[in-house]
């Protein structure tokens, strides 16, 4: 299968622009690249597909600057169509290239197969995940000083979540922390996966131990129901660390600086705390969200950690001292959280 997949990838790369026009129709060509919002084909500028070989690399390679995902055009087809296995993507690629598999194998035409939306695949993946309590995923969070409490229904654990790196021809089943991404109405739009070491001592030793599936833009991983007040930040561990400090404060993790800046806010919201990462990208995203909040009539305050993020602060200080440091930065009516 490895040689067959490599051959398909090369043939797709030779028709890179045709592939992009088929699977990313809302994108556009910009010089030597096809630009789109993400692997699902939404409008935007974070996904770059190289259309021809250059000193920077071969044709057909792509990278999503927002999520860190990357791969070849066979990967792109798999993610775009929401396939969970490589064989399904290969069949789709053959159909695109007008090259049906051998007669003894069952074929499936892309014209008759119903394309699976990434949100549907994300929903099925989260449905497979079990509770996080007592698992490697909980051990991983404890290793980062995070003690789970309250509503953690947005988190799950999957012992055999498939991972495939750019150099892998077959996906590998590895344990992973699964986080549910939802919109303002609570509808699942995607999932975020963090692959873990077998003992839960840290993230798996992979080139990209975190990947997203589905639509993240404007949405996030939510803890508690936000009405008048909400805390928002980038990373999952950042917001779970803050939850250790303010366990009853509704929170959302946008999962990247770009997505934090684009986060959609509830109409009922009156006060917003923005937990910035202590770097240029984090501060810029926090300021962009604060400006938009003020334009919507929402009061906003930036919370900036001493270290890189609030998970680092939690590990360095502990929940009690970190709470005492942050409590004066909260509006008086929110100091009950």
């Amino acid at each position: 299968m490895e040689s067959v997949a490599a051959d398909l990838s090369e043939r797709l790369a030779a028709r890179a622009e045709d592939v992009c026009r088929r699977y990313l129709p809302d994108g556009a060509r910009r010089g030597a690249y096809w630009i789109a919002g993400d692997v699902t084909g939404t409008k935007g500028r974070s996904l770059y597909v190289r259309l021809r070989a250059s000193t920077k690399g071969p044709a057909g390679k792509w990278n999503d600057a927002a999520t860190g995902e990357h791969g070849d055009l066979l990967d792109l087809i798999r993610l775009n169509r929401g396939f969970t296995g490589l064989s399904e993507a290969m069949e789709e690629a053959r159909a695109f290239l007008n090259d049906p598999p051998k007669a003894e194998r069952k074929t499936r035409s892309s014209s008759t197969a119903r394309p699976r939306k990434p949100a549907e695949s994300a929903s099925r993946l989260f449905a497979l995940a079990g509770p996080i309590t007592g698992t490697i995923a909980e051990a991983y969070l404890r290793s980062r000083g995070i003690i789970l409490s309250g509503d953690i229904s947005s988190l799950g654990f999957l012992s055999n979540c498939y991972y495939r790196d750019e150099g892998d021809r077959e996906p590998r089943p590895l344990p992973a922390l699964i986080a549910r991404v939802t919109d303002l109405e609570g509808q699942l739009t995607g999932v975020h996966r963090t692959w873990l070491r077998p003992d839960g001592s840290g993230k798996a030793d992979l080139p990209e131990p975190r990947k997203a599936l589905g639509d993240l833009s404007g949405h996030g991983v939510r803890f508690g129901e936000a009405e008048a007040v909400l805390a928002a930040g980038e990373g999952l561990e950042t917001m779970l660390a803050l939850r250790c400090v303010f366990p009853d404060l509704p929170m959302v993790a946008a999962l990247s600086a770009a997505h934090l800046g684009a986060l959609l806010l509830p109409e009922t919201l009156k006060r917003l705390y923005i937990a910035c990462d202590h770097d240029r990208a984090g501060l810029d995203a926090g300021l962009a969200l604060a400006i938009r909040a003020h334009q919507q009539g929402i009061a906003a305050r930036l919370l900036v950690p001493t270290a890189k993020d609030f998970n680092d602060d939690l590990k360095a200080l502990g929940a009690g001292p970190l709470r005492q440091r942050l409590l004066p930065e909260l509006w008086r009516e929110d100091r009950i959280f």
Side-chain angles (χ1 to χ4, degrees):
M1 178 179 284
E2 180 176 347
S3 61
V4 175
D7 177 66
L8 284 172
S9 293
E10 289 180 7
R11 294 175 62 191
L12 290 168
R15 296 180 55 188
E17 186 167 348
D18 292 337
V19 174
C20 292
R21 291 187 183 280
R22 167 73 70 84
Y23 296 99
L24 307 172
D26 288 331
R29 179 168 185 161
R30 295 288 186 272
Y33 294 89
W34 189 270
I35 310 298
D38 55 33
V39 293
T40 69
T42 59
K43 293 182 179 180
R45 297 180 57 83
S46 65
L47 181 73
Y48 296 76
V49 184
R50 191 178 297 112
L51 298 179
R52 58 176 180 265
S54 70
T55 56
K56 295 182 179 180
K61 296 296 184 180
W62 59 270
N63 181 74
D64 190 330
T67 66
E69 291 181 297
H70 62 86
D72 59 22
L73 291 176
L74 198 56
D75 297 314
L76 181 68
I77 289 174
R78 178 176 60 83
L79 294 169
N80 180 273
R81 288 298 191 244
F83 297 140
T84 56
L86 180 61
S87 60
E88 295 174 298
M90 290 170 64
E91 288 186 18
E92 175 74 16
R94 287 190 185 96
F96 171 80
L97 294 165
N98 195 26
D99 177 25
K102 294 179 181 179
E104 64 268 20
R105 295 186 59 187
K106 181 180 178 181
T107 63
R108 179 173 60 188
S109 168
S110 60
S111 62
T112 58
R114 181 179 70 87
R116 283 181 283 182
K117 297 180 179 179
E120 294 177 355
S121 296
S123 180
R124 286 194 296 274
L125 183 62
F126 193 76
L128 292 172
I132 190 174
T133 304
T135 67
I136 293 170
E138 184 180 38
Y140 161 71
L141 293 174
R142 283 181 176 273
S143 74
R144 299 182 66 112
I146 296 169
I147 307 300
L148 297 173
S149 64
D151 180 13
I152 53 172
S153 59
S154 291
L155 302 178
F157 173 71
L158 195 57
S159 60
N160 57 349
C161 183
Y162 284 96
Y163 177 91
R164 185 157 74 94
D165 186 27
E166 183 177 347
D168 297 333
R169 290 292 88 188
E170 289 291 339
R172 290 174 278 165
L174 299 169
L177 167 63
I178 311 294
R180 179 179 60 193
V181 179
T182 57
D183 61 19
L184 291 175
E185 285 70 47
Q187 297 298 311
L188 186 147
T189 66
V191 293
H192 186 265
R193 298 153 292 177
T194 304
W195 281 275
L196 306 170
R197 293 175 182 167
D199 60 358
S201 61
K203 293 187 289 292
D205 298 316
L206 300 168
E208 291 182 85
R210 303 176 188 268
K211 290 187 180 182
L213 171 65
D215 183 8
L216 272 64
S217 183
H219 313 311
V221 182
R222 302 177 192 277
F223 303 97
E225 294 187 14
E227 293 183 0
V229 62
L230 174 69
E234 288 185 41
L236 183 62
E237 291 87 347
T238 291
M239 300 316 293
L240 286 172
L242 272 185
R243 194 166 171 79
C244 292
V245 178
F246 301 113
D248 298 318
L249 180 63
M251 299 186 181
V252 58
L255 301 174
S256 76
H259 289 124
L260 177 62
L263 186 69
L264 298 176
L265 302 173
E267 292 182 358
T268 59
L269 201 62
K270 303 298 182 185
R271 301 179 303 281
L272 174 67
Y273 298 99
I274 305 171
C276 303
D277 280 9
H278 204 166
D279 54 30
R280 176 49 55 193
L283 293 171
D284 286 348
L287 287 171
L289 181 58
I291 291 170
R292 187 155 51 80
H294 284 302
Q295 291 172 342
Q296 296 177 221
I298 301 168
R301 286 184 178 177
L302 300 187
L303 302 179
V304 181
T306 301
K308 182 181 182 300
D309 58 41
F310 281 110
N311 191 196
D312 288 338
D313 278 9
L314 176 68
K315 290 187 292 184
L317 301 175
L322 182 56
R323 177 183 173 86
Q324 292 304 310
R325 183 175 79 78
L326 290 176
L327 204 59
E329 300 188 42
L330 270 57
W331 281 284
R332 189 174 301 277
E333 55 265 54
D334 295 330
R335 294 175 187 175
I336 59 172
F337 287 110

